[in-house]
Amino acid sequence: MGFTTGKERLRILRKANYNLFNIRAEHVLIDLLTDSGTGAMSAEQWSGIMRGDESYAGAKSYYTFEKAVRDLTGYREVIPVHQGRAAERILFSFNGGPGKISVSNSHFDTTRANAEASGTRVVDLPAKGALDFDVPEPFKGDIDTNALKKLITEKGPKSIAVCIMTVTNNSLGGQPVSMSNLKKVSSICRSSGIPLLLDCARFAENAYFIKIREKGYRSKTAAQIAKEMFSLADGCMMSAKKDALVNMGGFIALNNRKWALKARQILILGEGFPTYGGLAGRDLEAMAIGLREVLDEKYLQYRIRSTAYLGEGLLRHGVPIVRPPGGHAVYVNARKFLPHIPPGQFPAQTLICELYLEAGIRAVEIGTLMFGRKKPDGGFLPAPMELVRLAVPRRVYTQSHIDFVIEVFGKIAKRKNKMSGLKVVEAPEMLAHFTAKLKPL
Ligand code: F0G
């Protein structure tokens, strides 16, 4: 955490070309860039690190980890990888390819990129209303099951390589998927022979939302609900940097032995031997413990409440957000907050620069800088949304940090009409938002 003056921040931001990815973390006071790998491990996890067995093959730590994943998911085949995107790359390298489709409530960016890199076409079918940010429906992470059935009828089940349910749905507001939706998807996929996987980076947050929002789940534990979610799918891919409460890690878990065999072959090529898969033995210990700790309902209650608290604070200052607040993040609707800044002048990027200038807070743009596209005719296609994601790291910040973020938004809201946009000076063709250089207009 770093304290800086306003003058210093202006100099730092200019030097970073108005791109917050280029700022040193030591120059950030409150870092809401991501909730991925930024959580604090518990004393128990740190002691697990000390017990790590670093044997190349058959380490004790692997079996501890395997048991934790089997207990959680019920899947037999457990394959560790170094992070979520490695799982995606492995999956699409044996299951996918030209002519195949991957369908989802929404693919996360890296999932989409890995699918497309393999030649697989991706189709997102978010529930109706998911893009209606002002309407606070309880399960805006659902997939549109009618559209899913239509896609299967039109393209034929054989052309669909996989259906991926992202829980919670990170790309559209961190919104949860209901159990009833998962049940419907499961039955559609099973009757058509389409494999169903969970992208379960935030499975515990999703399970807790089901507990408090869906009829019939109040008296079930988060662990029971999670198990039921996993039982409806054929396997999962996980970025453990989120709900396994570790700084690095991930896994694939499956019941299909043939798939597991193929996955392990590719694993050896790029990640490592199947009992460590790109990680150290100590990392496996920490993941095993994190997967249990995250289902502590006192923790989950605090987690979901504190994100909601941030959202409520912003709404009090008239800052429009994606409603209701998500599990891991609050998403500010910058298009609505700064209507005088057109998408081509990057309203969400403008807002994150203002947050940094005002108080050293770092957030991420999910808008035209990230998703805008050049059209073949030379024109420009803006993104369908202009959002600022305020992702809350796990077990790191306190209520007073969050109060400070709310206070800063209050100040910015008062002078928002005076803010003006940005223009791109230099940007690569792919994943421009990481390295683009910008300038105030
Ligand atoms: N799936 C989801 C839903 C994710 O949110 C992420 C990462 C991944 C897969 C990829 O996992 O980073 O371990 O390779 N999300 C981070 C974020 C980067 O900031 O939302 P990874």
Side-chain angles (χ1 to χ4, degrees):
M1 183 194 280
F3 287 96
T4 46
T5 64
K7 224 167 140 187
E8 284 167 341
R9 287 193 293 275
L10 181 59
R11 189 176 43 79
I12 291 165
L13 191 66
R14 278 192 185 138
K15 210 170 144 216
N17 295 300
Y18 289 78
N19 185 332
L20 273 68
F21 282 103
N22 293 334
I23 290 181
R24 287 183 184 215
E26 63 183 306
H27 295 148
V28 175
L29 184 63
I30 297 184
D31 205 344
L32 307 180
L33 186 68
T34 178
D35 64 319
S36 180
T38 51
M41 286 206 294
S42 65
E44 187 55 31
Q45 284 178 295
W46 280 107
S47 49
I49 295 253
M50 296 296 154
R51 289 195 298 271
D53 174 356
E54 303 301 344
S55 305
Y56 189 94
K60 205 169 150 200
S61 299
Y62 171 74
Y63 293 102
T64 306
F65 166 72
E66 182 189 56
K67 181 169 183 327
V69 177
R70 282 182 176 170
D71 288 350
L72 168 70
T73 63
Y75 305 134
R76 294 290 305 162
E77 307 287 340
V78 178
I79 302 165
V81 294
H82 81 276
Q83 67 181 93
R85 64 200 70 185
E88 295 156 3
R89 189 181 51 79
I90 290 171
L91 172 78
F92 285 107
S93 50
F94 69 83
N95 177 46
K100 294 281 185 183
I101 293 171
S102 173
V103 59
S104 177
N105 51 345
S106 292
H107 295 83
F108 179 67
D109 335 356
T110 56
T111 324
R112 168 185 298 269
N114 273 297
E116 286 176 347
S118 75
T120 311
R121 188 162 84 81
V122 301
V123 178
D124 285 344
L125 301 174
K128 286 199 178 68
L131 277 163
D132 205 344
F133 297 143
D134 295 328
V135 183
E137 293 291 334
F139 290 107
K140 288 164 87 174
D142 284 355
I143 195 169
D144 181 339
T145 48
N146 287 331
L148 177 64
K149 282 190 225 160
K150 194 162 159 254
L151 180 82
I152 297 171
T153 315
E154 275 173 19
K155 304 289 171 190
K158 287 221 157 53
S159 69
I160 299 177
V162 65
C163 175
I164 297 175
M165 289 297 287
T166 309
V167 293
T168 56
N169 188 350
N170 186 15
S171 307
L172 284 178
Q175 303 292 319
V177 177
S178 65
M179 193 72 85
S180 68
N181 190 251
L182 279 178
K183 282 182 185 163
K184 277 191 210 140
V185 182
S186 176
S187 117
I188 295 169
C189 287
R190 282 187 182 159
S191 63
S192 331
I194 296 167
L196 172 63
L197 297 187
L198 300 185
D199 175 347
C200 64
R202 300 177 181 86
F203 73 93
E205 290 171 7
N206 199 99
Y208 192 73
F209 275 123
I210 289 176
K211 182 180 169 95
I212 59 175
R213 290 186 185 167
E214 194 162 351
K215 205 162 161 263
Y217 286 92
R218 273 279 161 167
S219 60
K220 298 226 163 103
T221 64
Q224 286 169 331
I225 297 170
K227 196 146 207 180
E228 186 176 342
M229 287 162 55
F230 287 114
S231 75
L232 294 167
D234 303 300
C236 65
M237 300 185 282
M238 175 153 189
S239 166
K241 301 171 73 171
K242 287 85 171 173
D243 272 353
L245 303 171
V246 291
N247 306 116
M248 188 50 80
F251 62 86
I252 303 172
L254 303 160
N255 279 328
N256 184 329
R257 269 187 62 77
K258 277 194 195 138
W259 272 28
L261 269 173
K262 288 184 193 168
R264 288 195 178 101
Q265 278 167 0
I266 303 162
L267 185 83
I268 294 173
L269 217 59
E271 294 277 297
F273 189 73
T275 61
Y276 73 84
L279 291 165
R282 52 182 176 273
D283 299 329
L284 299 171
E285 291 281 346
M287 271 203 286
I289 297 163
L291 287 173
R292 287 196 195 98
E293 282 183 354
V294 77
L295 287 164
D296 175 343
E297 290 182 15
K298 290 276 184 302
Y299 157 78
L300 283 169
Q301 183 186 11
Y302 182 80
R303 170 84 179 146
I304 299 302
R305 246 329 276 154
S306 48
T307 309
Y309 178 87
L310 170 59
E312 289 157 11
L314 298 187
L315 285 170
R316 267 201 311 280
H317 285 300
V319 178
I321 61 167
V322 175
R323 295 181 66 200
H328 68 296
V330 172
Y331 296 64
V332 175
N333 186 351
R335 180 171 289 175
K336 204 170 164 192
F337 186 62
L338 302 171
H340 60 289
I341 303 181
Q345 296 176 12
F346 310 103
Q349 186 71 15
T350 304
L351 181 54
I352 66 169
C353 288
E354 196 66 18
L355 273 172
Y356 182 73
L357 282 176
E358 177 65 37
I361 297 166
R362 178 158 66 172
V364 76
E365 188 252 20
I366 303 182
T368 292
L369 187 61
M370 194 181 264
F371 292 120
R373 293 280 173 269
K374 269 200 196 120
K375 288 196 282 194
D377 66 6
F380 181 72
L381 196 66
M385 71 289 222
E386 302 294 339
L387 301 176
V388 164
R389 186 183 74 169
L390 306 165
V392 187
R394 292 168 183 77
R395 304 192 293 205
V396 172
Y397 292 122
T398 62
Q399 187 167 348
S400 50
H401 292 102
I402 301 296
D403 282 333
F404 179 68
V405 175
I406 296 169
E407 195 184 309
V408 169
F409 265 98
K411 277 192 194 165
I412 293 178
K414 285 200 189 112
R415 60 158 193 269
K416 69 186 182 88
N417 294 337
K418 294 202 189 97
M419 285 164 60
S420 51
L422 297 162
K423 70 170 182 189
V424 168
V425 187
E426 197 186 301
E429 283 288 311
M430 258 182 63
L431 296 172
H433 55 288
F434 289 121
T435 53
K437 296 183 179 170
L438 297 102
K439 222 164 89 174
L441 281 166

